[in-house]
DNA sequence: CTTGTGGTTATTTTT
DNA sequence: TAACCACAAG
């Protein structure tokens, strides 16, 4: 493989700290992989000495795959490869806590939804209702259910950002204390706590567990690699600092121009100032873009060069790939209305279909097909409507995420009706109608067969333990009793219906994990309310690309979702003022709770003009050859004007304002590019797959959750017993078999289960 | 060019 | 419910 000088420098710099500035399409993943593979070849370097971070599990899977391939090419089989960490910071931090802080073993991790449920369930203890928002000088307390999302954001910012905590109003400071206390009392980590606790332990002086953790880091971590460094926020930076403070080498990779998650707290400053904060940082700038044609590279450069130079790292992206520019590739068009715009988009796709395209230098040209076209929106929810309608009308395949709402689908409505029935808010006929109308292949007779399951749930046996009747169990028993089958669902909707019901099952699980401690009657009532008022906001989209299928279909996505991807032809419609760049939003915000002056660089949470520009830059650089920008006014008063970005583009001479139709000579048969889908599976995923392929499908592809008794009743006791034994073992106190019974009962409400006792005995 | 008023609209998403 | 846009008036 041929490398540019900059790539070589990046790959071969091992002893100095390193900043790799990687322009769009510059072969970043390859460079990181090559560098890691070479580190492995250095004398004395073991796989476990290397820690590499990515932001998503998906990115981690891709990087891991590539790194392993390169290592095999360079060194053949290498021992202990599994000990090299390539994954998210959250995953790494959680591992550290689990292996060095005995207490942490019994902690459960809350997802976003569960965190909000906790905040609402314990609205006073969490500090939600004792915290005030200051609106136009008057102070009012935050409200249960209404403001929990806002409160959660505040709690995250306070722990993830460099907030001046001493300057906080007393109600906010108390809120933070209460919230952290609540989490530790109930043995929960929210996502922030995982990072925050780890960062604190890595950087502080302290007790035995701190020392053990720091010793481990000092002895094993020698090379730290951080991908997408421009998207790190202050705690993540603290964590990186903690891992490298004992002399480990740091390599960060990123592109300040592609910072698009600032509303999550990512701070461009991290990458802009890294050379001042770490010693002897060498810089390698990968300017060569191998992805796009010269005209696209030039347009992208113009877009991003409008950002003041002080806010950017200097770089000059150049086109180095094999894509050529032909007049008419770049367009900026106006339409009288959004329907005409959608109509043209689809016309253009039909015209481009079959046009010869070369994926790589020297490869055989193929005809473009549907999956080579991507339409990127600032907001799919707001603007993709007309296009979807048009594609559907012409029967063209497309994939889209985030358009239809999960709780508005008929099958989920039907599922909801079951729980409204149990809570006494609906009658038998409502349930029957809901399921029959949902069109999932059930007759009135089928649904009637399921009703006994629901009536049994209403008359729950008070002598039984509270966790013997679960929402999840009722739901799955009901589906069983009505004999719903994927293949019985008409019009090939089976997969989608199951996917949606699976998402609903996930929602039940989220709710029940938090509310299992409530009496069933109460739990059912609360669930019915939650499903009606809260849940629809939590679980927005329904039909999504679940990552396992790669159909030949037009991609409709937000610019955010498109990061890291590329297509031969990209369309950027709806370039209106107030849409892209987006205008700010009203309502109560975090800065009504936390005074803005306490948060350095607070503006980034709001989103600035420069942030929108970077987002537009990301959008433009997704295109390999064809790029069409378009504008059409909407009915709304704020949707009449053109976006500044659109206007700027029309000034560029390579961008035509009238379409040049692609020549119809030399067309090829449309052939989609064949890709190998990246499937990232954990060990437990594989276990399910081997045990029962269909249960694997239900669980992993559709998200069906298992009833909870095992996990939270008996299973949890076992888990806690093990945690205790593990903790004692670390302290040098090996538990004796006689203690088994005591251990088992100590962690189980009520009498010790025979099995738990026997299990504890075995372990001891 | 600044200020006042009324009408309108509320992104993006990962762990 | 709060804030911002567009337009009109000063």
């Amino acid at each position: 493989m041929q490398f540019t000088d900059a790539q070589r420098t990046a790959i071969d710099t091992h002893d100095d700290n390193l900043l790799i500035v990687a322009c769009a399409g510059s072969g970043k993943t390859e460079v990181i992989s090559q560098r890691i593979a070479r580190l492995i070849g250095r004398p004395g370097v073991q796989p476990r000495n290397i820690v590499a971070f990515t932001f998503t599990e998906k990115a981690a899977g891709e990087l891991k795959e590539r790194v392993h391939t390169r290592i095999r090419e360079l060194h053949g089989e290498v021992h202990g490869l599994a000990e090299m960490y390539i994954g998210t910071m959250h995953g790494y931090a959680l591992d550290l806590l689990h292996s060095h802080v005995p207490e942490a073993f019994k902690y459960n991790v809350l997802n976003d939804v569960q965190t909000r449920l906790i905040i609402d369930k314990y609205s006073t203890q969490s500090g939600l209702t004792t915290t005030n928002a200051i609106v136009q000088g008057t102070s009012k307390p935050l409200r249960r259910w209404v403001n929990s999302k806002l409160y959660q954001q505040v709690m995250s910012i306070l722990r993830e950002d460099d907030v001046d905590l001493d300057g906080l109003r007393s109600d906010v400071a108390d809120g933070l204390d209460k919230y952290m206390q609540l989490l530790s009392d109930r043995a929960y980590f929210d996502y922030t706590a995982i990072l925050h606790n780890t960062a604190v332990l890595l950087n502080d002086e302290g007790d035995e567990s701190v020392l053990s953790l720091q010793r481990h880091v000092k002895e094993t971590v020698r090379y730290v690699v951080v991908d997408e460094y421009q998207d790190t926020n202050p705690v993540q930076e603290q964590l990186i600092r903690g891992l490298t403070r004992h002399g480990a080498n740091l390599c960060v990779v990123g592109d300040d121009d592609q910072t698009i998650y600032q509303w999550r707290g990512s701070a461009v400053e991290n990458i802009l100032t890294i050379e001042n904060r770490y010693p002897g940082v060498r810089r390698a700038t990968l300017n060569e873009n191998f992805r796009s044609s010269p005209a696209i590279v030039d347009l992208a450069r113009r877009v991003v060069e409008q950002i003041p130079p002080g806010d950017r790292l200097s770089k000059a992206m150049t086109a180095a790939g094999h894509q050529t520019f032909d007049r008419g590739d770049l367009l900026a068009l106006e339409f009288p209305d959004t329907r005409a715009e959608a109509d043209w988009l689809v016309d253009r796709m039909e015209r481009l279909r079959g046009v010869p395209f070369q994926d790589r230098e020297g490869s055989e040209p193929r005809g473009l097909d549907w999956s080579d076209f991507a339409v990127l929106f600032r907001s799919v929810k707001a603007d993709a409507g007309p296009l979807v309608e048009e594609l559907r009308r012409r029967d063209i395949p497309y994939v889209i995420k985030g358009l239809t709402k999960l709780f508005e689908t008929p099958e989920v409505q039907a599922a909801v009706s079951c729980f409204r029935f149990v809570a006494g808010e609906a009658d038998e006929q409502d349930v029957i109608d809901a399921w029959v109308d949902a069109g999932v292949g059930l007759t009135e007779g089928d649904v009637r067969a399921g009703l006994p399951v629901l009536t049994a749930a209403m008359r729950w046996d008070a002598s039984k333990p509270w966790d013997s009747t679960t929402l999840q169990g009722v739901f799955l028993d009901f589906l069983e009793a009505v004999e719903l089958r994927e293949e019985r669902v008409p019009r090939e909707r089976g997969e989608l219906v199951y996917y949606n019901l699976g998402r609903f099952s996930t929602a039940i699980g989220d709710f029940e994990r938090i509310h299992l401690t409530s009496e069933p009657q109460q739990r059912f009532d609360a669930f019915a309310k939650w499903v009606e008022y809260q849940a629809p906001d939590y679980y927005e989209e329904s039909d999504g690309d679940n990552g396992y299928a790669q159909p030949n279909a037009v991609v409709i996505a937000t610019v955010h979702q498109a990061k890291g991807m590329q297509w031969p032809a990209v369309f950027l419609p709806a370039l209106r003022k107030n849409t892209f760049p987006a205008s700010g939003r009203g309502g109560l915000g975090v800065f009504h709770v936390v005074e803005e002056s306490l948060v350095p660089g607070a503006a980034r949470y709001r989103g600035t003009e420069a942030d929108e520009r970077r987002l537009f830059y990301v959008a433009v650089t997704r295109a390999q050859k064809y790029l069409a920008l378009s504008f059409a006014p909407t009915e709304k008063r704020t949707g009449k004007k053109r976006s500044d970005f659109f206007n700027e583009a029309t000034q560029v001479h390579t961008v035509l304002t009238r379409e040049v139709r692609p020549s119809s000579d030399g067309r090829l048969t449309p052939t989609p590019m064949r890709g190998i889908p990246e499937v990232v599976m954990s060990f437990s995923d594989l276990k399910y797959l081997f045990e029962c392929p269909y249960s694997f499908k239900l669980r992993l592809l559709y998200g069906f959750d298992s009833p909870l008794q095992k996990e939270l009743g008996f299973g949890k006791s076992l888990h806690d017993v093990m945690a205790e034994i593990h903790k004692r073992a670390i302290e040098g106190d090996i538990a004796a078999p006689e203690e088994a019974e005591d251990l088992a009962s100590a962690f189980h409400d009520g009498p010790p289960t025979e099995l738990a006792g026997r299990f504890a005995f075995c372990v001891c």
Side-chain angles (χ1 to χ4, degrees):
Chain A
M1 192 170 288
Q2 286 289 311
F3 294 112
T4 64
D5 289 348
Q7 287 178 331
R8 269 252 91 87
T9 309
I11 292 169
D12 292 331
T13 299
H14 302 156
D15 296 318
D16 291 326
N17 289 326
L18 177 63
L19 162 64
I20 303 175
V21 181
C23 285
S26 60
K28 179 189 71 167
T29 308
E30 182 60 29
V31 167
I32 302 175
S33 306
Q34 291 281 358
R35 181 171 181 274
I36 293 177
R38 278 166 176 71
L39 290 176
I40 289 291
R42 303 195 85 200
V45 178
Q46 304 293 320
R48 66 197 185 96
N49 300 139
I50 297 172
V51 173
F53 294 130
T54 60
F55 266 80
T56 63
E57 295 287 355
K58 190 170 163 247
E62 286 164 12
L63 182 60
K64 203 183 247 178
E65 176 74 37
R66 186 89 67 99
V67 167
H68 287 189
T69 309
R70 294 293 170 264
I71 289 178
R72 238 174 283 129
E73 287 169 2
L74 275 172
H75 315 293
E77 288 307 317
V78 170
H79 267 295
L81 211 52
E83 288 178 56
M84 176 167 61
Y85 185 85
I86 300 181
T88 62
M89 281 197 210
H90 288 83
Y92 184 79
L94 192 60
D95 280 353
L96 274 186
L97 292 175
H98 277 163
S99 47
H100 296 277
V101 187
E103 278 291 302
F105 213 66
K106 67 176 185 220
Y107 275 60
N108 283 307
V109 177
L110 296 173
N111 67 24
D112 234 26
V113 177
Q114 292 165 343
T115 306
R116 282 179 70 180
L117 278 160
I118 286 278
I119 289 172
D120 281 322
K121 184 177 181 189
Y122 308 102
S123 57
T124 316
Q125 287 176 62
S126 67
L128 170 67
T129 52
T130 60
T131 300
N132 296 309
I134 312 282
V135 179
Q136 287 161 349
T138 56
S139 154
K140 37 184 149 183
L142 296 179
R143 291 167 57 198
R144 193 180 189 190
W145 305 116
V146 181
N147 298 323
S148 52
K149 184 174 189 177
L150 171 68
Y151 188 70
Q152 189 196 342
Q153 283 174 339
V154 172
M155 291 297 111
S156 289
I157 292 177
L158 293 182
R159 287 171 298 156
E160 294 204 12
D161 212 319
D162 292 322
V163 181
D164 171 14
L165 295 175
D166 296 329
L168 288 178
R169 266 200 334 271
S170 62
D171 58 317
V172 183
D174 288 349
L176 179 62
D177 287 343
K178 282 182 183 169
Y179 179 72
M180 294 203 291
Q181 191 61 46
L182 177 68
L183 288 187
S184 75
D185 286 350
R186 310 219 154 246
Y188 284 127
F189 287 137
D190 64 4
Y191 289 135
T192 297
I194 295 172
L195 297 181
H196 182 246
N197 294 348
T198 310
V200 168
L201 293 178
L202 282 173
N203 291 301
D204 277 15
E205 316 285 302
D207 63 9
E208 183 50 38
S209 60
V210 170
L211 291 177
S212 141
L213 188 140
Q214 293 192 1
R215 203 182 312 121
H216 167 82
V217 166
K218 196 172 174 180
E219 283 164 9
T220 59
V221 181
R222 293 177 58 189
Y223 295 95
V224 177
V225 179
V226 186
D227 192 12
E228 306 282 11
Y229 184 69
Q230 77 283 351
D231 280 330
T232 51
N233 67 19
V235 236
Q236 290 170 326
E237 170 54 33
Q238 282 170 38
L239 202 133
I240 294 163
R241 157 103 24 210
L243 289 178
T244 53
R245 59 185 274 224
H246 305 293
N249 172 274
L250 175 64
C251 165
V252 303
V253 191
D255 179 3
D256 54 307
D257 291 334
Q258 295 187 65
T259 312
I260 62 170
Y261 288 119
Q262 54 292 120
W263 38 268
R264 258 166 43 194
S266 63
V268 216
E269 284 67 31
N270 281 341
I271 198 168
L272 296 180
T273 61
I274 187 164
E275 286 153 325
N276 310 329
R277 291 179 298 109
Y278 285 85
V281 179
R282 287 187 64 180
R283 190 196 286 198
T285 307
L286 311 181
N287 276 316
E288 288 88 353
N289 177 324
F290 297 99
R291 174 189 297 153
S292 309
S293 74
I296 287 171
V297 169
D298 176 66
L299 175 66
R301 263 182 68 177
R302 284 168 193 261
V303 166
V304 87
E305 278 171 0
Q306 299 293 314
I307 296 172
D311 297 346
R312 293 184 65 217
L313 293 170
S314 75
K315 59 178 100 68
M317 180 166 65
T318 53
H322 69 285
Q323 298 295 346
T324 55
F325 167 67
D326 297 291
R327 223 178 102 81
D329 287 354
L330 274 57
L331 301 169
L333 305 179
E334 290 183 30
F335 298 93
D337 57 65
T338 54
R339 278 211 43 189
E341 185 182 36
D343 204 45
W344 179 83
L345 286 176
V346 185
D347 282 347
R348 171 85 175 164
M349 289 179 204
E350 286 180 336
R351 284 196 280 272
L352 282 175
R353 191 155 177 255
V355 165
F357 183 81
Q358 244 188 337
D359 290 302
R360 326 165 167 273
E361 190 146 28
S363 72
E364 196 59 32
R366 66 185 173 90
L368 290 177
D369 209 342
W370 301 125
S371 56
D372 295 309
F373 308 136
V375 188
L376 306 181
F377 290 95
R378 177 67 242 260
S379 162
V380 162
K381 218 185 296 176
D383 295 313
L387 175 69
V388 169
E389 215 171 278
E390 189 58 30
L391 288 168
R392 207 175 277 169
R393 209 176 59 75
R394 301 200 204 178
D395 224 12
I396 293 173
Y398 62 89
V399 285
I400 188 170
K401 206 174 154 187
L403 193 66
T404 41
K405 293 192 169 183
L406 178 69
F407 277 75
E408 285 170 12
T409 61
E411 52 275 9
V412 172
Q413 296 259 301
V416 167
S417 77
C418 292
F419 290 100
R420 296 193 60 223
F421 175 75
V422 176
E425 291 172 15
D427 56 32
E428 285 190 3
Q429 200 55 48
D430 294 331
V431 177
I432 293 167
D433 291 347
W435 279 104
V436 173
D437 294 347
V440 292
L442 296 183
T443 64
E444 175 166 350
D446 293 329
V447 185
R448 281 197 186 281
L451 290 173
V453 175
L454 304 182
T455 37
M458 295 166 85
R459 303 180 264 99
W460 133 89
D461 183 351
S463 67
K464 284 189 181 166
W466 285 1
D467 59 5
S468 64
T469 306
T470 63
L471 296 159
Q472 196 70 254
V474 170
F475 180 55
L476 297 181
D477 288 348
F478 177 83
L479 293 184
E480 181 67 45
V482 298
E483 296 189 333
L484 182 70
R485 294 285 178 273
E486 194 173 336
E487 60 277 9
R488 271 177 66 184
V489 179
R491 292 187 292 130
E492 292 174 24
R493 283 185 66 242
E495 202 159 299
L496 184 57
V497 166
Y498 262 63
Y499 178 72
N500 287 340
L501 291 176
R503 294 284 315 266
F504 185 70
S505 174
T506 306
I508 297 176
D510 284 338
F511 180 87
E512 201 151 48
R513 278 193 181 79
I514 304 305
H515 286 270
L516 196 67
T517 50
S518 323
E519 179 221 285
Q521 194 62 54
Q522 231 183 315
R523 197 182 334 138
F524 277 96
D525 291 350
F527 182 67
K529 286 267 182 303
W530 183 72
V531 155
E532 189 171 355
Y533 299 109
Q534 301 294 312
D537 294 343
Y538 295 107
Y539 306 92
E540 290 240 320
E541 80 273 26
S542 77
D543 52 345
D545 163 20
N546 51 27
Y548 292 85
Q550 259 199 350
N552 177 23
V554 175
V555 174
I556 304 174
T558 63
V559 182
H560 287 89
Q561 289 163 355
K563 193 181 187 185
M565 308 214 252
Q566 61 178 36
W567 292 270
V570 168
F571 298 85
L572 301 177
L575 293 178
R576 297 183 305 263
K577 199 174 175 183
N578 299 321
T579 300
F580 200 177
S583 66
R585 70 215 194 287
L588 219 54
V590 284
F591 296 119
H592 290 104
V593 178
V594 181
E595 206 191 309
E596 203 170 329
S597 62
L598 301 175
V599 187
R604 70 182 191 271
Y605 285 98
R606 289 225 179 85
T608 61
E609 157 90 32
D611 291 328
E612 292 290 311
R613 195 171 276 285
R614 285 188 268 260
L615 193 57
F616 188 64
Y617 168 82
V618 169
V620 169
T621 51
R622 296 313 96 193
Q624 290 174 272
K625 183 167 169 67
Y626 301 99
L627 177 69
L629 315 178
S630 61
F631 161 81
T634 65
E635 296 297 303
K636 290 170 189 164
R637 208 166 49 101
T638 48
K640 303 277 183 222
K641 293 185 174 169
R642 279 170 286 265
S643 161
D644 288 344
F645 300 154
F646 181 86
N647 286 333
E648 283 171 28
T650 57
Q651 302 299 308
V652 179
H653 71 279
T654 50
V655 180
L656 305 189
T657 50
R658 295 185 80 150
E659 184 187 3
V660 177
R661 299 198 176 191
S663 137
S664 53
D665 310 337
R667 278 195 194 231
L668 303 172
T669 319
T671 316
M673 189 168 73
R674 290 188 42 159
I676 304 124
E678 295 279 354
V679 182
V680 184
M681 265 189 272
S682 72
F683 243 166
S684 52
D685 296 351
L686 286 172
K687 200 188 92 205
Y688 288 124
L689 178 61
F690 291 135
E691 276 174 2
C692 169
Y694 194 70
S695 121
F696 166 82
K697 189 175 173 187
L698 288 179
R699 219 171 241 283
L700 276 120
L701 268 52
Y702 298 153
F704 274 96
D705 213 338
S706 60
L708 289 165
Q709 307 94 306
K710 278 192 197 144
E711 194 176 330
L712 280 176
F714 167 66
K716 174 97 167 84
S717 325
L718 275 191
H719 180 262
D720 290 345
V721 169
M722 275 177 62
E724 179 68 21
I725 293 170
H726 179 232
K727 179 181 159 188
R728 289 196 194 177
I730 288 177
E731 291 162 0
D733 170 17
I734 308 297
E738 303 84 72
E739 293 176 76
E741 187 93 341
D742 290 344
L743 276 170
S745 56
F747 288 94
H748 196 81
D749 303 327
T753 27
E754 195 202 339
L755 254 175
R758 213 184 305 154
F759 179 79
F761 182 82
C762 295
V763 174
C764 294

